[in-house]
């Protein structure tokens, strides 16, 4: 096993990785930019290396600086976390070239899955279902018109190099097709330096369900079941859960999706942890969408329900160990739900709200896991994604997990910045959510049916203003009592 590993990331995932390394008695090296000198990950890691200025282009994305830091500190391997360089094949290759182990899949598998059309072709060849559409990029307007006609409108244009919804255009009528191709193509050219687009039949109000896979470097590959990630806002996941409520309706679905995911991963020559994304339509047909060749933000829900430690397995597999779990050993127990806690203002169009955390009370207790990257007194920098923490509840069933999450949110106090905690309370109280009626359109409906908070009476606003002024003049913070009715400044 490795003796020392460098963590090429920041925030909550860097903290998660320090913890995973320490449990295996492996020394950790954190890296940091100017904005992260005092980060929780830096404080918790055994060693730390400075990368450069705050912008990620000058720090967390600098392959040369990260490799240099690993070599200087005597690390044998690098864990990339998620985002940043985690799906960069050039980085994976640079690690290998420097004699370091990249903790992730082979660079070749990252490359293959980086192109959405190449990934689609791999899935087709592997016999996994894909959404009906073009085999590869559109070559002419005539070809597009003919394909769209045979698929039937509405269709969806997607960027070959895309992902995350950029370069995507819904087309409802043939007369809109040509201009939509031009728009999607130029958006793709700007975003990905690749103007290729392809066509798919549009799946109406699909669910987004993904399958976790895990494979070793000796050809053994299994799946760890699904995560339901349908609740998204602007292609950002908001809540993730395992199992998907759909599995209660169709108990064979997990096996079918899992088998398809394993076929795709095998065809890509995959090893380590990865995720196969699917769309699921109203009739519970599923279609391969893309593969994420990294550890994902939402991996804790899989860990809680399967009892398997994904980071620990990533490290063992990267060190050459055999994955000693058979598919039939994997069991799914209870229900886990994760909320992504952001420094943002849900009352102001989810505007990022970084700043100093002046007060922090973190929830705990039965069934609660908090993967956090912050502490009281830390200033959340505005240079990065403002994810503070992931609050995850496990319970024997979904309703109990929802209750636990609501209880944990009621204990969670963050002062000095705005956070999206109240938004989660509203979703967890939503009746469609309780019934498990989820789709990628869930939040659109939620915002419409959510009753707006009643306007406070003018005299109450005057009282609130006076109280706020007086409380700002208070010399000291009160003693923290989470059960009191004290209203925090959050
Ligand atoms: C789709 C789709 C409907 N039909 N493809 C969005 C991001 C990209 N990775 C794929 N996406 C979609 N592809 C077909 N043929 C709907 C989406 C989509 C979506 C997918 C997953 C999660 C959230 C989404 C939000 C809007 C649209």
């Amino acid at each position: 096993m490795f003796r020392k590993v460098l963590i090429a990331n920041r925030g909550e995932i860097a903290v998660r990785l320090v913890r995973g390394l320490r449990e295996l008695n492996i020394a950790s090296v954190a890296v940091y930019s100017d904005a992260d000198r005092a980060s929780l990950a830096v404080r918790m890691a055994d060693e730390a290396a400075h990368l450069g200025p705050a912008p990620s282009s000058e720090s967390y994305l600098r392959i040369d600086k990260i490799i240099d830091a690993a070599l200087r500190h005597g690390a044998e391997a690098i864990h990339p976390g998620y985002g940043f360089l985690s799906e960069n094949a050039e980085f994976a290759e640079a690690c290998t070239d420097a004699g370091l182990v990249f903790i992730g899949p082979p660079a070749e598998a990252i490359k293959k899955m980086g192109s959405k059309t190449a990934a689609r072709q791999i899935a087709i060849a592997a016999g996994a279902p894909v959404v009906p559409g073009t085999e590869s990029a559109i070559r002419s307007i005539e070809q597009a018109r003919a394909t769209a006609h045979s698929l039937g409108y509405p269709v969806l244009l997607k960027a070959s190099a895309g992902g995350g919804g950029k370069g995507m255009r819904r087309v409802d009528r043939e007369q809109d097709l040509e201009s939509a191709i031009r728009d999607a193509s130029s958006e793709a050219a700007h975003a990905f330096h690749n103007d290729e687009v392809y066509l798919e039949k549009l799946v109406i109000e699909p669910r987004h369900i993904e399958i976790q896979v895990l494979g070793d470097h000796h050809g053994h590959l299994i799946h760890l079941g699904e995560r339901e990630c349908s609740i998204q806002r602007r292609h950002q996941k908001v809540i993730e859960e395992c199992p998907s409520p759909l599995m209660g309706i169709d108990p064979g679905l997990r096996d079918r999706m899992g088998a398809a995911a394993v076929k795709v991963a095998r065809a890509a020559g995959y090893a380590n942890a990865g995720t196969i994304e699917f769309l699921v339509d109203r009739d519970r047909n599923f279609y391969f969408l893309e593969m994420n060749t990294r550890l994902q933000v939402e991996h804790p829900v899989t860990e809680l329900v399967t009892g398997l430690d994904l980071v620990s397995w990533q490290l063992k597999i990267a060190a050459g160990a055999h994955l000693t779990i058979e598919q039939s050993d994997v069991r799914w127990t209870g229900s886990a739900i994760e909320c992504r806690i952001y420094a943002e203002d849900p009352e102001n169009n989810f505007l990022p709200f970084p700043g100093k955390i002046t007060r922090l009370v973190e929830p705990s207790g039965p069934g609660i896991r908090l993967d956090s990257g912050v502490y009281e007194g830390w200033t959340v920098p505005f240079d990065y994604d403002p994810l503070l923490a992931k609050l995850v509840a496990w319970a024997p069933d979904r309703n109990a997990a929802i209750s636990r999450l609501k209880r944990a949110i009621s204990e969670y106090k963050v002062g000095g910045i705005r956070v999206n905690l109240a938004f989660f309370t509203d979703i967890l109280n939503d009746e469609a959510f309780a019934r498990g009626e989820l789709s990628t359109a869930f939040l659109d409906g939620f915002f419409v049916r959510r009753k707006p908070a009643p306007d406070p009476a003018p005299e109450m606003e005057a009282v609130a203003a006076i109280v706020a002024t007086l409380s700002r003049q208070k010399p000291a913070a009160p003693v923290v009592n989470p059960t009191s009715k004290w209203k925090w400044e959050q």
Side-chain angles (χ1 to χ4, degrees), residues 99-433:
L100 299 161
V101 176
F102 175 77
I103 301 169
E108 209 47 51
I110 301 177
K111 249 182 241 166
K112 282 181 188 156
M113 290 303 179
S115 158
K116 304 306 149 194
T117 37
R120 194 171 147 82
Q121 280 158 14
I122 289 170
I124 294 168
V130 299
V131 186
T134 53
E135 278 268 330
S136 49
I138 294 168
R139 279 176 302 275
S140 69
I141 176 69
E142 291 75 27
Q143 182 216 358
R145 216 175 268 135
T147 307
H149 181 79
S150 68
L151 291 171
Y153 289 86
V155 295
L156 193 62
L157 287 164
K158 293 184 176 184
S160 298
K166 272 228 183 73
M168 243 170 48
R169 284 285 184 291
R170 174 187 171 140
V171 187
D172 286 277
R173 311 174 304 170
E174 183 170 299
Q175 55 264 48
D176 302 332
L177 186 62
E178 193 164 358
S179 65
I181 292 174
R182 261 199 314 271
D183 289 355
S185 186
S186 91
E187 192 174 315
H190 280 107
F192 314 113
H193 306 287
N194 177 341
D195 66 357
E196 291 183 350
V197 295
Y198 64 106
L199 255 181
E200 283 182 4
K201 173 98 183 145
L202 181 81
V203 182
I204 307 292
E205 298 193 2
R207 286 179 180 248
H208 172 137
I209 299 180
E210 58 191 29
I211 300 280
Q212 178 71 52
V213 297
L214 195 57
D216 65 19
H217 290 285
H218 311 282
H220 184 42
L221 197 67
I222 61 171
H223 75 83
L224 303 184
E226 79 287 357
R227 290 185 289 263
E228 163 84 60
C229 305
S230 295
I231 303 187
Q232 307 204 0
R233 200 188 142 268
R234 300 197 173 161
H235 302 291
Q236 288 272 28
K237 291 166 187 159
V238 172
I239 291 184
E240 306 98 346
E241 52 182 306
C242 178
S244 163
L246 262 197
M247 301 301 159
I249 298 163
D250 185 348
L253 185 59
R254 175 182 289 151
D255 283 353
R256 300 199 300 279
M257 293 182 73
V262 167
K263 281 198 281 188
V264 173
R266 194 178 299 289
Y270 206 81
N272 215 284
T275 297
I276 313 274
E277 294 187 356
F278 293 97
L279 288 180
V280 182
D281 70 16
R282 284 173 183 161
D283 303 319
R284 277 176 272 111
N285 299 303
F286 60 88
Y287 309 95
F288 170 82
L289 207 53
E290 49 195 74
M291 180 169 194
N292 301 318
T293 57
R294 60 170 190 274
L295 180 72
Q296 295 205 195
V297 176
E298 59 271 26
H299 75 276
V301 296
T302 299
E303 294 190 323
L304 290 174
V305 169
T306 62
L308 298 169
D309 185 321
L310 279 165
V311 169
S312 171
W313 275 112
Q314 283 197 292
L315 292 163
K316 289 173 186 163
I317 286 165
H322 284 263
L323 174 59
T324 54
I325 309 161
E326 299 303 322
Q327 189 63 62
S328 58
D329 297 333
V330 184
R331 293 278 191 284
W332 293 268
T333 308
S335 177
I337 309 178
E338 172 177 285
C339 299
R340 295 191 184 191
I341 313 302
Y342 277 93
E344 64 182 16
D345 184 3
E347 303 302 315
N348 191 8
N349 199 26
F350 297 88
L351 194 76
F353 212 104
K356 184 168 179 176
I357 298 173
T358 56
R359 186 175 286 139
L360 182 65
V361 181
E362 297 188 325
S364 60
I368 293 301
R369 168 172 170 177
L370 184 67
D371 279 26
S372 175
V374 302
Y375 58 87
E376 189 171 293
W378 156 255
T379 298
V380 181
F382 40 104
D383 307 270
Y384 316 106
D385 179 278
L387 178 70
L388 302 176
K390 299 169 326 204
L391 176 61
V392 200
W394 179 93
D397 62 66
R398 187 171 186 267
N399 286 335
I402 292 171
S403 296
R404 277 197 166 150
L405 259 184
K406 289 198 270 186
R407 183 268 295 169
I409 289 168
S410 77
E411 294 175 11
Y412 209 161
K413 312 291 174 190
V414 185
I417 56 174
R418 301 235 167 110
V419 294
N420 57 351
L421 282 169
F423 176 55
F424 287 114
T425 304
D426 290 350
I427 293 176
L428 295 168
N429 282 325
D430 183 75
E431 279 167 25
F433 180 81

